[in-house]
Amino acid sequence: EGLLIGRALQGAAGAVLPVCYGLVREHMPAERMDLATGIVAGTLMIASGVGVFAGGLIVDHLPWHAMFYIAGVASVIAIAVGIWVLPKSRHTTPDVKLDVPGAVLMMPMIACSLYAIGQIKSWGIGDPRVWMLLGFSLVVGVIWFRREWNHEQPMIDVRLLANRHVLLVNLVMAIAAYGTMQSGPFISMLLQQRADVGTGFGLTASVSGLLMAITYLMGMFAGPVSGFISMRFDATRALQSGALLASAGWVAMAIGQNTLWLLLTGLFTQAIGTVMILAAIPMVLAKVVPMGRTSEANGVVSLVRQANIAIALQITAFVLSTKNVTVEGSSYPAPEATTLAFVLLAGTTVLCFLISLLLPRFRQAAAAPAAMGVEAMTPAGHRP
């Protein structure tokens, strides 16, 4: 129970990232905002790399629960920095009330979906309980969406999705959550899986963590690169470039899943693309939403990302469990199941790239109505 409660609190801390993007937009000069946004996304990749490597060292050399103590100390430091270092937002709304029913309705919607997908292996995909849970989740989701759409102060303002850019960005993120953002647990599992299974390299947790960390740390430079592309060309072009690289990376990993250097090359390419996507999405949103709603718009994207990552992990786990190999009394995913997972991950990432091509580009507007909070950049062919 304590582990579940702690994990829930950790998930709530994910709200920090969209707030960071809002603060960047508020406090950075317009000409440097995209680059600063890219640096924030790159920093996220650094943290991921360090975390993977540290986790491997802890598992190999310390009691596994030591990671909770180390993460707790890091969290206290982060809280202190947030209180005493970060600048305060100038766009506050003191009379905003917390939409508790909106938050409560989200829980069964997501939980039932995850539980249904997780039970497919044991119940079977044709079991009525699976479809009842999915159907219940869908009904609750429709009720929640309609309530949030009509609510004066919703927990998640789904009305933002009426903007074509916001809708497509969230669609890109929803699909990217299945492919581009599952590389960490999936590839780490493959690196540590024993080689005599047929697919795997038999590396220790420390070595696996080190290889993942190097890949992530090299990928951190992609954030500023995404910002440079956005400033030089266009924010949607940066997003499309990232989706293309992520697609190429997953295709390379699918082809070279049994060749370590090719797998790591694909992982590196995919990591670059993922960071570029994470950096470009706030840049796109900054062009189409008012200043005071930047964090909220990024919060919607963050919610979509986290919810779909959770569902995608369950789907991948189910795919890997479709065929197993038993070695010395332990069960592992068979090569056929691993290949199928690679194909699905690569395919969804390619789909992510294709959808990103639907995003309109931006052009300079002669005058943007400041009272409406619309930025100087407007979608080409669209009225501000």
Side-chain angles (χ1 to χ4, degrees):
E1 292 181 0
L3 185 62
L4 293 176
I5 293 173
R7 189 69 181 96
L9 293 174
Q10 185 184 30
V16 169
L17 185 60
V19 173
C20 289
Y21 289 133
L23 290 174
V24 166
R25 186 179 177 188
E26 282 189 40
H27 296 282
M28 292 298 296
E31 65 274 10
R32 298 174 60 190
M33 186 190 69
D34 287 351
L35 181 60
T37 300
I39 292 174
V40 171
T43 303
L44 177 64
M45 185 59 74
I46 295 174
S48 299
V50 173
V52 169
F53 180 48
L57 290 176
I58 292 170
V59 169
D60 281 345
H61 302 288
L62 295 173
W64 64 269
H65 53 267
M67 67 178 67
F68 297 121
Y69 299 112
I70 296 173
V73 172
S75 299
V76 171
I77 295 173
I79 292 172
V81 171
I83 293 174
W84 288 298
V85 177
L86 284 181
K88 293 184 178 180
S89 173
R90 295 188 292 263
H91 294 269
T92 57
T93 310
D95 60 342
V96 171
K97 297 179 180 179
L98 182 64
D99 178 22
V100 176
V104 172
L105 278 174
M106 290 175 57
M107 297 178 187
M109 175 180 66
I110 297 174
C112 289
S113 298
L114 292 176
Y115 188 69
I117 296 171
Q119 293 299 113
I120 289 178
K121 172 65 176 177
S122 56
W123 290 353
I125 195 169
D127 193 292
R129 291 173 292 181
V130 172
W131 295 102
M132 287 176 62
L133 284 169
L134 292 175
F136 176 76
S137 178
L138 178 62
V139 170
V140 173
V142 171
I143 295 172
W144 172 82
F145 188 89
R146 290 190 61 181
R147 185 188 183 283
E148 297 298 280
W149 185 279
N150 297 314
H151 198 272
E152 184 178 353
Q153 296 181 350
M155 172 66 69
I156 301 294
D157 192 353
V158 295
R159 291 180 291 256
L160 290 169
L161 299 177
N163 181 289
R164 181 184 176 187
H165 275 77
V166 177
L167 177 62
L168 286 175
V169 159
N170 278 274
L171 184 58
V172 167
M173 181 56 74
I175 298 175
Y178 186 90
T180 65
M181 297 176 190
Q182 283 200 74
S183 61
F186 181 59
I187 301 302
S188 181
M189 178 274 296
L190 187 63
L191 291 175
Q192 296 177 61
Q193 183 168 283
R194 53 191 301 164
D196 55 0
V197 171
T199 302
F201 299 94
L203 303 179
T204 65
S206 295
V207 174
S208 171
L210 177 61
L211 292 175
M212 297 289 291
I214 292 173
T215 300
Y216 286 169
L217 291 175
M218 293 176 70
M220 71 181 181
F221 298 105
V225 169
S226 185
F228 174 78
I229 293 174
S230 178
M231 293 188 297
R232 179 67 178 82
F233 299 101
D234 180 68
T236 56
R237 183 66 59 83
L239 177 58
Q240 292 160 359
S241 299
L244 178 61
L245 286 172
S247 301
W250 269 116
V251 170
M253 284 189 284
I255 295 172
Q257 58 183 286
N258 294 314
T259 306
L260 185 58
W261 72 267
L262 186 54
L263 180 74
L264 293 177
T265 300
L267 180 63
F268 171 61
T269 305
Q270 181 270 340
I272 292 176
T274 299
V275 178
M276 291 182 68
I277 292 173
L278 290 173
I281 283 179
M283 300 174 197
V284 174
L285 293 176
K287 307 295 189 295
V288 296
V289 300
M291 175 75 76
R293 307 192 70 184
T294 304
S295 295
E296 183 180 5
N298 281 286
V300 174
V301 174
S302 181
L303 172 66
V304 170
R305 181 179 72 250
Q306 296 298 336
N308 281 280
I309 286 177
I311 294 173
L313 287 172
Q314 291 282 58
I315 294 174
T316 302
F318 168 71
V319 171
L320 291 173
S321 69
T322 54
K323 191 170 184 179
N324 298 323
V325 175
T326 301
V327 179
E328 297 181 0
S330 298
S331 182
Y332 302 91
E336 297 87 344
T338 305
T339 298
L340 178 58
F342 267 115
V343 170
L344 291 175
L345 289 164
T348 52
T349 311
V350 170
L351 178 60
C352 173
F353 166 66
L354 295 176
I355 292 178
S356 73
L357 297 178
L358 300 176
L359 277 165
R361 295 188 63 188
F362 293 91
R363 61 175 171 79
Q364 291 285 350
M372 294 177 60
V374 179
E375 295 299 297
M377 303 287 286
T378 58
H382 294 261
R383 295 179 62 187

